[in-house]
Amino acid sequence: MNRRSIPLILVAAVLGVGCVSHQMYREDSIEEEEAYTLAFIEFDDRGEIWSPSQVYRLQDLILSANRHEEGAVVIVLAHGWNNDASPKNEKNGTLAGFKSTLETLAQGVRAESPDRPVVGIYLGWRGKSMVSPFTYLSCSSRQRAAARVAGPQGMAVLSRVILDVKTNPESSLILIGHSFGGQIIERIVQQGVAAGVAEIQEGPAGSAPDLTVLLNPASPATNAKQVIDLLRWGRIELLRTTADGRQFNVPLMVSLTSANDKATRVAYRVGSLVGLATSKFRTYGPEFCSPVISQRSLYARTAGHMPELHSHEVRVRSASERPSSATSSDHGFVIAGDGVDIEVE
């Protein structure tokens, strides 16, 4: 054996042992639980749908749920790094957390409307490609995989879901993206706004989700800046109408990042070093009205770790710290919970 070939063989052996298989996990893509229904849509590493039948079954499910006079409550979740749609993920991964959230949500919905459908849609992809202790080696490749999921087929699936759900104006739709899944949701919404695929309005002719939430999104802050620019250039506003006909503005997207999230604060920056070394950047002129003039700094960080882009600060405090004063003001509000309060300012 040639000595030069030994390191290559060792590397191949390590990668072979550390790799997670590339496969579809949900042949039966609809799970009927007592309180809710969960549907799976899975994408391969190239961003293609594993099985069109999953999409057809989901369309039938939404059509059925929408027949309720109060509409359905539909939650879409795109998971992030080191997660997938495997049964193992139901024990201690994002899928386990999603099912727990759906259970809690359904309890609240059923308390007001006993038979109103609650539907969860789990967008699965190969977010986990290597097992511990090699997981950090996959950060860069999983970011690229997430970008492919946000491509033509991912956009087509999510746009179809939005349009189908909103055929019943009473239905509620929330989109959630976590980690690299935040990048998926953010890019698809960004493309939809840019292409005019979705009119930002309510009702049967509209296709705006009721809320889009990005949790610790692992995407460059340039994405957030581009969405902000698109909304500004198009003078786009998302309006909601109350029962008595009053209109008010609501956010199109809410992006939340924990100050101590190491994946977006540290791992993301390390993963972006290759791009920083091989890409060209520029500075922004005064016509952009941007608080950040360096395109490089936006690319190197996520929006959650760039204070210049922040609009609100969220703090969690115990109920014992609750002030006696009013819980809302012109600058923020407080959501009173069970034992804790969430203060948004």
Side-chain angles (χ1 to χ4, degrees):
M1 181 183 294
N2 190 316
R3 288 186 177 181
R4 293 180 180 179
S5 65
I6 293 177
L8 295 176
I9 293 173
L10 290 175
V11 169
V14 169
L15 292 178
V17 171
C19 284
V20 175
S21 62
H22 182 216
Q23 66 179 89
M24 185 179 80
Y25 292 99
R26 303 288 171 167
E27 195 71 41
D28 185 3
S29 60
I30 304 294
E31 286 188 8
E32 293 282 355
E33 303 291 345
E34 184 177 350
Y36 62 87
T37 304
L38 177 59
F40 292 87
I41 301 292
E42 296 180 78
F43 297 86
D44 66 20
D45 235 26
R46 297 295 102 191
E48 293 191 56
I49 300 166
W50 270 105
S51 172
S53 65
Q54 291 184 337
V55 179
Y56 302 146
R57 291 171 189 158
L58 175 59
Q59 288 180 307
D60 290 340
L61 173 62
I62 293 174
L63 178 64
S64 175
N66 256 350
R67 293 194 181 105
H68 193 278
E69 61 180 9
E70 295 180 75
V73 177
V74 182
I75 313 292
V76 180
L77 174 68
H79 67 75
W81 189 27
N82 288 329
N83 283 268
D84 50 35
S86 68
K88 290 182 180 179
N89 211 240
E90 296 187 51
K91 297 178 181 178
N92 55 11
T94 300
L95 180 52
F98 188 41
K99 296 181 80 168
S100 176
T101 299
L102 290 171
E103 183 75 36
T104 303
L105 174 68
Q107 290 177 5
V109 171
R110 298 292 171 83
E112 297 183 3
S113 180
D115 60 346
R116 189 181 186 191
V118 173
V119 177
I121 302 172
Y122 190 80
L123 302 184
W125 57 286
R126 195 172 177 237
K128 185 178 182 66
S129 63
M130 303 191 77
V131 299
S132 180
F134 309 110
T135 50
Y136 276 91
L137 298 176
S138 69
C139 181
S140 181
S141 71
R142 294 308 86 202
Q143 182 182 21
R144 294 193 299 271
R148 293 191 290 270
V149 173
Q153 292 199 8
M155 183 176 181
V157 167
L158 195 56
S159 298
R160 188 72 261 167
V161 167
I162 296 171
L163 288 167
D164 287 348
V165 171
K166 285 303 178 179
T167 56
N168 185 340
E170 300 301 320
S171 290
S172 298
L173 175 64
I174 298 176
L175 309 181
I176 304 173
H178 173 243
S179 181
F180 287 145
Q183 173 181 280
I184 293 171
I185 296 295
E186 183 179 43
R187 286 196 175 196
I188 290 176
V189 172
Q190 180 186 49
Q191 293 173 76
V193 173
V197 171
E199 290 293 330
I200 310 300
Q201 61 184 24
E202 279 192 311
S207 55
D210 294 277
L211 185 63
T212 298
V213 183
L214 310 180
L215 299 174
N216 290 330
S219 57
T222 47
N223 285 9
K225 177 191 176 296
Q226 289 176 27
V227 172
I228 293 170
D229 286 344
L230 287 171
L231 295 175
R232 180 185 295 120
W233 297 342
R235 294 183 173 86
I236 294 172
E237 293 182 322
L238 183 58
L239 299 175
R240 294 293 184 221
T241 306
T242 62
D244 58 1
R246 291 182 296 109
Q247 286 191 324
F248 59 97
N249 290 99
V250 294
L252 175 68
M253 185 182 297
V254 176
S255 180
L256 299 168
T257 295
S258 172
N260 60 359
D261 181 58
K262 292 183 180 180
T264 54
R265 182 167 55 88
V266 179
Y268 177 84
R269 293 202 66 180
V270 172
S272 68
L273 291 177
V274 174
L276 287 171
T278 59
S279 302
K280 299 294 183 182
F281 300 95
R282 64 185 178 92
T283 56
Y284 298 111
E287 71 274 15
F288 282 93
C289 300
S290 173
V292 183
I293 64 171
S294 169
Q295 192 179 52
R296 174 185 288 269
S297 63
L298 285 167
Y299 176 85
R301 297 174 178 85
T302 67
H305 296 287
M306 292 208 69
E308 299 92 338
L309 298 179
H310 297 175
S311 62
H312 294 75
E313 182 177 352
V314 180
R315 291 180 292 273
V316 178
R317 65 190 185 198
S318 66
S320 62
E321 300 174 300
R322 186 176 297 163
S324 57
S325 59
T327 57
S328 64
S329 68
D330 292 338
H331 303 290
F333 56 91
V334 173
I335 303 171
D338 184 13
V340 297
D341 289 347
I342 300 174
E343 184 179 38
V344 182
E345 184 175 3

